[in-house]
Each structure stands twice: as C-alpha cells, then as structure tokens.
C-alpha cells in the first residue's frame, strides 16, 4: 500500500471495550440475609415463632380437656342448687323503745334445707343465721353442723331472744309504727353457710353460699295474732329463700 498501512477491507475499528470489573458486596449486620449474624436472626425468629405456636397449642389443648372434664362431671353428678324455704315463724315480742333505741324480740323460725341431688351428699360445716330489721342486724345464732344425704330435707330451727340497740331514724321509726299497727313486721333472715360435697367416698369443695329470706311475720300473743289485719288471718306464709349474690 502507498501509506504502508495493512489492508483493513474498508471496515472501521473503534477503541477496544474494557472487560467489566468484578465488585464484591460484604453483607452488613442489618442485611436480611443469613450470614454469620443473619443466620442467628433467622434462628431466633424461627425459635420465637415455634415457642408461640407451642404455647398456643398447649393453651387450646388445656381448655378443651378442662371443658370435656367439666362436661363429663356434669353428666355424672347432674348437680342442682340447694333449696331453702321458711315454713314457719313465731314472733311473740317485737318492741322498740325510742328512749334507748333498744329492740326487744322473741322470734322462732323453721327453715327447710332441701338437697335435690341424687348422687351428692352435703356436709354443713358452719350454719350461721342472722336476723335483720331495717337492714340492721339485731341477732345471730349458730346451729350445729350436720350431714345431709341424697334427696333429703333437713329442718333448721333458729331462735332469737333478747334485746339489741339499733338506730332506726325518723323513717325507720315511722315504718316500725306502721308495721306495729298492721301487726306484721318485715324481718330479713340470712343464712351464712360453709358446705362440702360428698360423692361416694370422696369429699370435696369448701363453698360459702349466702341465703336471704325476706319474711313478713305476724306478731302473736298467746298463740293468736295481735291484729285482725295480719296476712292469711295471722298465719305465717311459707317464703322461698334466694341466694344472696
């Protein structure tokens, strides 16, 4: 050639393209990958999730088992609440003195306690009976403990005799005078019990039910009513007692 150049066949060759450089990225502690520290994070997350799932499964299993046990016990025992009725009351004295605020009383009651259960016996470990007038307690007696068998009715006979200071106030004195005129006094009798249950040879539980008996008791003298306006001609009416919640 005239210029001393090699023959290039008329093609144009530009500068050469350099090869891409290799870069290396070292994962930091904050990376989500599982490097040295990332693996620990993954392991912790996995373990925490497994523990939470295990706890949830245990709780659900316990709840189911307890529910089944309670249901089976209910099928076996078929428990029913004890039933209480005030069947008779004799009030021969009920006088209030405004001079010293003393209430003089003589009250005798008969209260039936019914155990309607077929398979459960009842131990009455404590039987405390209190009498109230105008929400003020004026006497308390304790009865002897006893055992009550299946489908059995027991008679409780507390007697309240004596005097006690109560503060009635103007409204209370007005109510007392009104009831004295009618010959019928509203007296609340409450039973505080401590009972245990017996099934076969097994004794279990310590429960403290509270029973409330709102009574309307006619005042009597020598076996007769002090007023012709007494309910049922001066005869006490049987009263169903309720659980005081």
């Amino acid at each position: 050639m005239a210029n001393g150049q090699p023959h290039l066949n008329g093609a144009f060759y530009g500068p050469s393209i350099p090869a891409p450089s290799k870069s290396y990225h070292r994962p930091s502690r904050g990376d989500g990958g599982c490097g040295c520290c990332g693996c620990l994070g993954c392991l912790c997350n996995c373990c925490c999730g497994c523990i939470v799932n295990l706890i949830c499964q245990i709780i659900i299993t316990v709840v189911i088992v307890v529910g089944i046990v309670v249901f089976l016990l209910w099928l076996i025992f078929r428990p029913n609440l004890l039933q209480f009725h005030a069947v008779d009351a004799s009030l021969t004295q009920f006088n209030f003195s405004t001079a010293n605020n003393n209430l003089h009383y003589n009250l005798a009651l008969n209260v039936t306690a019914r155990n309607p259960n077929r398979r459960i016996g009842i131990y009455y470990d404590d039987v405390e009976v209190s009498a109230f007038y105008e929400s003020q307690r004026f006497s308390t007696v304790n009865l002897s403990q006893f055992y009550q068998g299946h489908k059995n009715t027991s008679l409780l006979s507390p007697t309240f005799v004596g005097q006690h200071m109560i503060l009635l106030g103007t409204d209370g004195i007005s109510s007392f005078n009104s009831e004295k005129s009618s010959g019928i006094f509203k007296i609340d009798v409450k039973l505080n019990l401590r009972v245990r249950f017996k099934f076969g040879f097994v004794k279990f539980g310590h429960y403290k039910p509270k029973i409330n008996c709102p009574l309307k008791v006619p005042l009597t003298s020598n076996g007769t009513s002090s007023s012709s306006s007494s309910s049922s001609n001066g005869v006490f009416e049987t009263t169903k007692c309720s659980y005081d919640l």
Side-chain angles (χ1 to χ4, degrees):
M1 299 291 294
N3 294 331
Q5 297 278 343
H7 183 66
L8 299 178
N9 299 325
F12 175 76
Y13 294 88
S16 60
I17 299 175
S21 60
K22 295 182 180 180
S23 60
Y24 297 92
H25 176 67
R26 182 180 180 181
S28 62
R29 295 183 179 180
D31 289 339
C34 290
C36 178
C37 296
C39 287
L40 293 177
C42 292
L43 181 61
C44 290
N45 291 335
C46 181
C47 290
C48 290
C50 292
I51 293 175
V52 171
N53 291 334
L54 179 61
I55 293 175
C56 291
Q57 292 177 3
I58 292 175
I59 293 175
I60 294 174
T61 302
V62 170
V63 170
I64 294 175
V65 171
V66 170
I68 294 174
V69 171
V70 171
F71 179 70
L72 291 177
L73 290 177
W74 180 83
L75 288 178
I76 295 173
F77 296 133
R78 294 294 180 92
N80 294 297
L81 291 175
L82 303 176
Q83 302 167 359
F84 297 87
H85 291 82
V87 296
D88 191 21
S90 175
L91 183 65
T92 57
Q93 184 182 21
F94 206 70
N95 300 321
F96 178 73
S97 173
T98 56
N100 53 17
N101 293 322
N102 273 344
L103 177 68
H104 297 260
Y105 53 87
N106 190 332
L107 172 65
L109 294 176
N110 284 327
V111 179
T112 59
R114 173 69 177 173
N115 176 16
N117 296 286
R118 295 182 178 180
R119 298 180 177 89
I120 301 176
I122 309 294
Y123 283 96
Y124 291 82
D125 294 328
D126 289 326
V127 182
E128 180 187 85
V129 189
S130 300
F132 293 78
Y133 183 73
E134 290 290 323
S135 300
Q136 297 188 56
R137 182 172 60 180
F138 61 84
S139 185
T140 298
V141 296
N142 291 285
L143 304 181
S144 300
Q145 58 183 218
F146 63 95
Y147 171 76
Q148 186 178 49
H150 315 148
K151 298 186 72 66
N152 187 269
T153 300
S154 301
L155 184 65
L156 309 178
S157 300
T159 301
F160 309 94
V161 180
Q163 62 180 5
H164 189 79
M165 179 182 292
I166 60 174
L167 302 176
L168 293 182
T170 304
D171 293 338
I173 294 175
S174 177
S175 297
F176 178 86
N177 291 331
S178 177
E179 294 174 9
K180 184 177 181 180
S181 298
S182 67
I184 302 174
F185 290 93
K186 296 179 180 179
I187 300 174
D188 292 329
V189 173
K190 298 185 178 182
L191 289 77
N192 293 324
L193 309 174
R194 186 167 68 91
V195 301
R196 290 175 296 153
F197 302 123
K198 179 183 178 183
F199 178 74
F201 297 99
V202 180
K203 303 174 185 178
F204 59 93
H206 267 100
Y207 300 95
K208 297 181 179 180
K210 296 182 179 181
I211 312 301
N212 183 35
C213 305
L215 309 180
K216 293 182 179 180
V217 187
L219 181 65
T220 59
S221 177
N222 296 326
T224 60
S225 171
S226 64
S227 173
S228 60
S229 61
S230 298
S231 62
S232 300
N233 296 322
V235 179
F236 175 78
E237 297 180 351
T238 298
T239 302
K240 182 179 180 180
C241 305
S242 60
Y243 283 83
D244 191 355
L245 302 178

